[in-house]
Structures are given as structure tokens and as C-alpha cells.
Amino acid sequence: MFEKVFHLKENQTNIKTECIAGVTTFMTMAYILAVNPSILSSAGMNPTAVLLATCLASFLGTVCMGLMANLPFALSAGMGLNAFFAYTVCGNMGYPWQAALLAVFIEGLIFIILSVTNIREALFNVIPLSLKKAVSVGIGVYIAFIGLQNAGVVVNSDSTLVTIVSFRGDFHTGGICALLAILGILFTAFLYIKHVKGSILIGILATWVLGIICQLTGLYTVNPDAGYNSLLPAFAMTDFSALGDTFGQCFRFDFDGVSIINFIVVIFSFLFVDIFDTLGTLIGVCNKANMLDKEGKLKQIKPALMADAIATSAGAILGTSTTTTFVESSAGVAEGGRTGLTAIVTALLFLISMLFAPIFIAIPSFATAPALVIVGFLMFSSITEIKFTGENMIKAIPAYLCILAMPLFYSISEGISIGIISYVVLHLVSGKAKEVKPLMYILAVLFILKYIFL
């Protein structure tokens, strides 16, 4: 049966190799089960409901990838997209999380339409490569900043806006949490350098355990009124009824007092990042696995994108942010995973993880900070593919502005819009208007109108 469905011999693999690859992929991306509830709960969502929705959406999307495209890739709530959901759409823009879920659902439907047409390629090709790389870099810096902020390493300053925490002041609460986060980052980085499988997940758990030891020895003081709760996990049965707090809530949003134009901008911001994140991940991982043809194309690209799009809309209905293909799938590929059987194994592990929801939910923010910082580093590495000298400066400066805007303006969408506007303007004033594709001008005008009227 496995041979008939997944063509193992044709792909020069076997059941044992595929299973090991599936477990490896899960280990490298299981950190999302701790990080995603932590991020989305800041938007007012029930963290247990978010975890259950994330597990189900990951299971559904990864099964679709395995069966529809026969590729060894896993899907889950995308890093960066969940931050955009919580901190930009629900935070800066003030939308309720139900509205953000609706935007994700609609974005998924648009993605489904694009996945069966050639529009997807047109959108992908119109954005210059330098800006595509800049979006990845900017998101990396942005989520690393969020991780340091959530851990209390970066704090508010009236004179400089942000500064490093005073470790000596309130050492037994904020100070020790910040110190544990820094130690966790260094430990996770060490594991990653040594190519330890599941290094990010191990880093989260090790940081948490170290925090528990600090609590038991009195270095960490529990103070619920100040937001410093007990670090000891609650061993209890998963409350599966919590899923009702988010399931279908995207259809219960009232548009009274909401700008439709602004809401459309939110939808296309989700869509933009999702498209380029997914395509970039697929191309990058497939290239490492020698799955691309002589022309550098992936013949299963349409079913792969369709699986991603279905998972996004389904995840929004369940109650989680955009579900997308994870670059950590490359860990399973490195272990020999070549078919959809790898994805199926990973999907089943996500489903089983629902039983351990209380443990994942209990993980504190300072323990998830190392994951955000290290994943941010992995995304930041794309900066080496942007050329900053000579004639390339006209493309590099907009990329730089895009990267700079995301953490400083606390918004992925602002970075994207500033990058596109500056790219078009600099080409116009430099006499290179013909090098800019017509659709870029349309996007630039739309973003300018957003700043004028919204």
C-alpha cells in the first residue's frame, strides 16, 4: 500500500527512512506548539484553543501535502505571520482576533484560486528578488525583537524608547527571567551549531527546566499580580472543549465601524507574506533535496500550494493564524525523507500532541524566546543574498528600508509597503522606470493611498 501511494522505490527510499525523517521534522518544528499559543494569546485568544487548533491545522495541512503532492513537507502556523496577526492586526490596528481570523480565511480562499491559475506566478515574478529576500530578513529581525521583548530582555525607556532590562532591579522576577532567556538563546545556538536534532525544542524545554529549578531554589519568586506565575507544569487532561472558543469564530465578526479598505489591506498583507514564504520554502528545500527538474521547477508545485492554501483556510476556521509550509522540513529531508510518507508521520505526531496541551501551554515566555531568536537568525541569513554594492544599490536600499521598518514600526505590512514604494520611487527618479513592472506601480500607488486616507 505504501509503495502504491508514495512510490518509495521510485524515490529511492523506504518506510524506515521515511518514518525517521517524519519524527525528525516534527522534533525540529514542535516548538511552534509552545510559541504559537504564547503569541496569539496576546491578542486575547484562549491559549489551549489555539494549541488544539494549531495541532489540527498542522495535521490536516501536512496530510494534504503528503497525499496530494507526495512531498516530505510539514505545515503549521507560520512564524512571522502569527506575529503579524497578534501584534499588528490585533495590536497596532486594533482589530478583534475574530476579524484577523476572517482575514486569514479569505486569504486562504484567494490562495486556493491562485493555486489553480497562473496568477500566482505573476505575483511571484513581479516582486524583485531583493525585496523577497528583504521580507524574510525583516520578519527574522521582527520576531527576534518580539522574543526578547516578551522575555523582558528588551524593556521600555522614556528617553530611548527601548533599552535592556536592569538585571539587578527586581532580579527575582523580571531580572532572572531575562537572564534565563539569554542563557537559553546561547544554549540553543550551541545545539544548533552542533547540528543536534530538535535543537530549538530542546532549547525551549531546557530553559523552562532551568526556570523551574530557579523557582524551587528561591531565585525565581512567584508573583501573579505582576504577571510572574508558577513555572511548574500542570499535569491534567486536555480540555478539548476549549476549541469551541475559537472554532468558527471567523464567521461571527461584525463589520460595524471597520474600514473595508483597511481590512482588504490586511488580507493582502497576509496573502503576500504567505505566498512568498511558501514558494521560497518549497523551492529552497526542494533544491537541497534535488527534487527540482533541469529548469529549476517543481512538478508538484500546484498540489503543494493547494495543500498550503487549504490548511490556511481550515486553520482559520479552527482558530489559528496562517498555516504554511515550514522550512524546518529540510531537517527531515536531510534524514532521507523524499515522499509524502514523511509528512504523514509528522502529521500523526501533531495529532498526538493534542493530548499534551496543558504542558505546552505552561511553558513561559522567557523559555520560548530562544526559539524566536534562533528562528529569526535562520530567516535573517537571507541577507547574504542581497547585493549592496555598485549598480545593485538601487535595489538594495529599498530592501534595507523594508528590513528596517518591520521591527522599528512593529509591523510586517509597513515594511512591505515601504519597500515597494521606495523601490518604485528610486527607479523613477534614477531614470530606470522601465525596469519596474506595471503591477509594481499599482502596488506602490495602493500603498501610498493607504497612508493618505487610512
Side-chain angles (χ1 to χ4, degrees), residues 133-350:
K133 299 299 180 184
V135 169
S136 175
V137 175
I139 292 175
V141 178
Y142 180 54
I143 63 175
F145 178 59
I146 289 171
L148 293 174
Q149 191 178 46
N150 289 347
V153 178
V154 173
V155 295
N156 176 68
S157 169
D158 293 335
S159 57
T160 60
L161 297 183
V162 292
T163 187
I164 191 170
V165 65
S166 172
F167 291 96
R168 301 179 78 174
D170 300 322
F171 175 76
H172 292 289
T173 51
I176 189 63
C177 288
L179 180 59
L180 288 170
I182 293 172
L183 292 174
I185 292 168
L186 294 174
F187 179 65
T188 306
F190 169 75
L191 295 178
Y192 196 84
I193 291 170
K194 293 297 183 180
H195 305 289
V196 175
K197 293 181 178 63
S199 56
I200 295 178
L201 178 61
I202 294 171
I204 290 175
L205 296 177
T207 307
W208 184 23
V209 169
L210 192 57
I212 292 173
I213 294 173
C214 288
Q215 178 176 328
L216 296 176
T217 56
L219 286 175
Y220 172 84
T221 302
V222 177
N223 186 356
D225 293 336
Y228 298 99
N229 300 311
S230 174
L231 304 178
L232 298 174
F235 295 99
M237 292 293 293
T238 299
D239 180 14
F240 289 96
S241 66
L243 186 61
D245 290 348
T246 57
F247 183 81
Q249 293 299 313
C250 60
F251 303 123
R252 299 177 183 178
F253 169 61
D254 189 352
F255 275 94
D256 288 344
V258 174
S259 168
I260 298 299
I261 295 176
N262 213 6
F263 187 69
I264 292 174
V265 171
V266 171
I267 292 172
F268 279 92
S269 295
F270 275 122
L271 180 65
F272 178 89
V273 179
D274 193 13
I275 286 176
F276 296 120
D277 184 64
T278 301
L279 286 170
T281 298
L282 287 173
I283 292 171
V285 178
C286 286
N287 184 54
K288 289 183 180 180
N290 295 319
M291 293 179 176
L292 302 179
D293 61 22
K294 294 179 179 179
E295 298 179 357
K297 297 180 180 179
L298 177 65
K299 67 178 182 179
Q300 306 105 306
I301 187 70
K302 284 194 174 182
L305 289 170
M306 181 63 74
D308 195 290
I310 291 172
T312 292
S313 289
I317 295 173
L318 291 165
T320 189
S321 54
T322 306
T323 304
T324 188
T325 308
F326 260 54
V327 71
E328 283 83 356
S329 300
S330 58
V333 170
E335 287 295 317
R338 292 294 181 273
T339 74
L341 181 55
T342 294
I344 298 299
V345 172
T346 304
L348 291 174
L349 290 174
F350 270 115

Side-chain angles (χ1 to χ4, degrees), residues 1 18 66 70 73 77 81-82 91 96 126 159 168 199 241 244 250 266 284 305 313 323 372 381 399 403 409-410 434:
M1 181 188 70
E18 295 290 299
N70 194 27
F73 304 143
L81 286 161
N82 53 7
V126 75
S159 57
R168 301 179 78 174
S199 56
S241 66
C250 60
V266 171
L305 289 170
S313 289
T323 304
L372 292 171
S381 62
I403 296 167
F409 299 153
Y410 218 71
K434 293 183 179 180

Side-chain angles (χ1 to χ4, degrees), residues 3 14 20 50 56-57 68 77 97 106 149 165 216 269 277 280 327 335 343 357 363 369 385 394:
E3 178 60 37
N14 54 58
I20 292 174
V50 171
L56 288 172
M68 293 170 60
W97 56 265
I106 296 173
Q149 191 178 46
V165 65
L216 296 176
S269 295
D277 184 64
V327 71
E335 287 295 317
I363 298 176
E385 300 174 40
I394 195 171

